[in-house]
Amino acid sequence: NILLTCMEDGISQKGGGRKNMLSCPTSKHVLELQKAVWPQLCADLRKRIVQDELSPTTRLTEAMLANFYDVSRQPVRDSLIHLMRDDLIEIWPARGSYVKPIDPVKTIGAQAICEATEVDVVEKLASKPNSDLVIDLRSQLSEQRKAAVGFPGKFMVLDHRFHRTLFKAALLEKAWGLLEALNIRLDRLRFLVRAEFPYAKLIHPPEQVLDYIRQHKSKSTIQARQTHNHKTPQTSPRDT
């Protein structure tokens, strides 16, 4: 667990069989003062949970986070509520908030929903040739290939951008917004098993998506190939 003990507020905790220290992420996120605070806190904490800087069962408190980010408790409280809605943390009254373990069943379900939805999106795009979209997607894949051998956080950002571009081109950007929370589940698992499933292997399915769109493939072909090239692991070395 890549964490530092948070000492500035002088608080220590015991109990419960969970991690019994208040901990902080390894580096501070610089907030943009001209923007709303809680979405920035939420995005930064979400990234740290996905990348296992804040591991399952890690305790988070409003006091610790407010001190670390140098903000009031209200935006911290708002960000924690949204993380709970994303199913990344659980909030226990009078006990605090804890990072939730990865749920294998929910993760597999999330993958099925995301894949089924994307098949429809790709079929829609394949039925209407768009050379500008193909050029854009090809450029994004080039960036992903470079990021696949570096820090995984950048690859995840680029991968989400690729899929957001697909949904936006299909005039279904709001649908992508609904799927993002499900994709976060997949990102957590991919990060944990990246040694066995390196990100370079995850480039292949997006490359096929580009081929489907460029070659105007049918829905049945897309579904068959997607099943054959299933790349997301369904078990985690740490499900608790």
PDB file of all heavy atoms in Angstrom, residues 59 85 111 141 144 169 183 187 207:
ATOM      1  N   ARG A  59      -8.840   3.306   5.562  1.00  0.00           N
ATOM      2  CA  ARG A  59      -9.801   4.220   6.175  1.00  0.00           C
ATOM      3  C   ARG A  59      -9.537   5.653   5.730  1.00  0.00           C
ATOM      4  O   ARG A  59      -8.396   6.117   5.728  1.00  0.00           O
ATOM      5  CB  ARG A  59      -9.733   4.134   7.697  1.00  0.00           C
ATOM      6  CG  ARG A  59     -10.824   4.937   8.408  1.00  0.00           C
ATOM      7  CD  ARG A  59     -10.863   4.595   9.889  1.00  0.00           C
ATOM      8  NE  ARG A  59     -12.020   5.198  10.522  1.00  0.00           N
ATOM      9  CZ  ARG A  59     -11.959   6.171  11.436  1.00  0.00           C
ATOM     10  NH1 ARG A  59     -10.795   6.646  11.805  1.00  0.00           N
ATOM     11  NH2 ARG A  59     -13.055   6.655  11.970  1.00  0.00           N
ATOM     12  N   ARG A  85     -21.231   6.426  -4.432  1.00  0.00           N
ATOM     13  CA  ARG A  85     -22.138   6.140  -5.549  1.00  0.00           C
ATOM     14  C   ARG A  85     -21.436   5.371  -6.659  1.00  0.00           C
ATOM     15  O   ARG A  85     -22.063   4.584  -7.379  1.00  0.00           O
ATOM     16  CB  ARG A  85     -22.734   7.450  -6.082  1.00  0.00           C
ATOM     17  CG  ARG A  85     -23.692   8.129  -5.112  1.00  0.00           C
ATOM     18  CD  ARG A  85     -24.116   9.493  -5.616  1.00  0.00           C
ATOM     19  NE  ARG A  85     -25.009  10.149  -4.668  1.00  0.00           N
ATOM     20  CZ  ARG A  85     -25.392  11.428  -4.767  1.00  0.00           C
ATOM     21  NH1 ARG A  85     -24.942  12.176  -5.781  1.00  0.00           N
ATOM     22  NH2 ARG A  85     -26.203  11.951  -3.868  1.00  0.00           N
ATOM     23  N   GLN A 111     -18.264  -5.601 -17.068  1.00  0.00           N
ATOM     24  CA  GLN A 111     -17.623  -5.841 -18.358  1.00  0.00           C
ATOM     25  C   GLN A 111     -18.641  -6.272 -19.410  1.00  0.00           C
ATOM     26  O   GLN A 111     -18.587  -5.814 -20.559  1.00  0.00           O
ATOM     27  CB  GLN A 111     -16.547  -6.918 -18.216  1.00  0.00           C
ATOM     28  CG  GLN A 111     -15.823  -7.184 -19.527  1.00  0.00           C
ATOM     29  CD  GLN A 111     -14.631  -8.090 -19.356  1.00  0.00           C
ATOM     30  OE1 GLN A 111     -14.364  -8.561 -18.252  1.00  0.00           O
ATOM     31  NE2 GLN A 111     -13.917  -8.337 -20.417  1.00  0.00           N
ATOM     32  N   LEU A 141      -4.812   5.773 -30.952  1.00  0.00           N
ATOM     33  CA  LEU A 141      -4.198   4.462 -30.733  1.00  0.00           C
ATOM     34  C   LEU A 141      -2.676   4.556 -30.737  1.00  0.00           C
ATOM     35  O   LEU A 141      -1.996   3.836 -29.991  1.00  0.00           O
ATOM     36  CB  LEU A 141      -4.658   3.476 -31.812  1.00  0.00           C
ATOM     37  CG  LEU A 141      -6.054   2.888 -31.613  1.00  0.00           C
ATOM     38  CD1 LEU A 141      -6.428   2.005 -32.795  1.00  0.00           C
ATOM     39  CD2 LEU A 141      -6.127   2.096 -30.324  1.00  0.00           C
ATOM     40  N   GLN A 144      -1.772   5.568 -27.365  1.00  0.00           N
ATOM     41  CA  GLN A 144      -1.959   4.466 -26.415  1.00  0.00           C
ATOM     42  C   GLN A 144      -0.798   3.481 -26.473  1.00  0.00           C
ATOM     43  O   GLN A 144      -0.356   2.965 -25.445  1.00  0.00           O
ATOM     44  CB  GLN A 144      -3.270   3.732 -26.704  1.00  0.00           C
ATOM     45  CG  GLN A 144      -4.510   4.464 -26.223  1.00  0.00           C
ATOM     46  CD  GLN A 144      -5.738   3.566 -26.228  1.00  0.00           C
ATOM     47  OE1 GLN A 144      -5.690   2.435 -25.773  1.00  0.00           O
ATOM     48  NE2 GLN A 144      -6.839   4.076 -26.766  1.00  0.00           N
ATOM     49  N   ALA A 169     -19.118  10.178 -31.174  1.00  0.00           N
ATOM     50  CA  ALA A 169     -19.342  10.109 -32.618  1.00  0.00           C
ATOM     51  C   ALA A 169     -20.682   9.458 -32.944  1.00  0.00           C
ATOM     52  O   ALA A 169     -21.307   9.779 -33.959  1.00  0.00           O
ATOM     53  CB  ALA A 169     -18.206   9.344 -33.282  1.00  0.00           C
ATOM     54  N   ASN A 183     -16.673   1.183 -15.949  1.00  0.00           N
ATOM     55  CA  ASN A 183     -15.310   1.036 -16.452  1.00  0.00           C
ATOM     56  C   ASN A 183     -14.273   1.191 -15.350  1.00  0.00           C
ATOM     57  O   ASN A 183     -13.178   0.627 -15.427  1.00  0.00           O
ATOM     58  CB  ASN A 183     -15.056   2.055 -17.562  1.00  0.00           C
ATOM     59  CG  ASN A 183     -15.482   1.534 -18.920  1.00  0.00           C
ATOM     60  OD1 ASN A 183     -14.786   0.733 -19.537  1.00  0.00           O
ATOM     61  ND2 ASN A 183     -16.632   1.985 -19.388  1.00  0.00           N
ATOM     62  N   ASP A 187     -10.910  -0.937 -14.569  1.00  0.00           N
ATOM     63  CA  ASP A 187      -9.591  -0.318 -14.428  1.00  0.00           C
ATOM     64  C   ASP A 187      -8.889  -0.783 -13.154  1.00  0.00           C
ATOM     65  O   ASP A 187      -7.672  -1.020 -13.151  1.00  0.00           O
ATOM     66  CB  ASP A 187      -9.718   1.210 -14.412  1.00  0.00           C
ATOM     67  CG  ASP A 187     -10.018   1.783 -15.784  1.00  0.00           C
ATOM     68  OD1 ASP A 187      -9.792   1.084 -16.786  1.00  0.00           O
ATOM     69  OD2 ASP A 187     -10.461   2.946 -15.849  1.00  0.00           O
ATOM     70  N   GLU A 207      -7.724  -1.687 -31.569  1.00  0.00           N
ATOM     71  CA  GLU A 207      -7.278  -1.724 -32.956  1.00  0.00           C
ATOM     72  C   GLU A 207      -8.314  -2.434 -33.827  1.00  0.00           C
ATOM     73  O   GLU A 207      -8.567  -2.033 -34.969  1.00  0.00           O
ATOM     74  CB  GLU A 207      -5.925  -2.430 -33.052  1.00  0.00           C
ATOM     75  CG  GLU A 207      -4.761  -1.590 -32.531  1.00  0.00           C
ATOM     76  CD  GLU A 207      -3.447  -2.336 -32.549  1.00  0.00           C
ATOM     77  OE1 GLU A 207      -3.493  -3.589 -32.529  1.00  0.00           O
ATOM     78  OE2 GLU A 207      -2.389  -1.690 -32.565  1.00  0.00           O
TER      79      GLU A 207
END
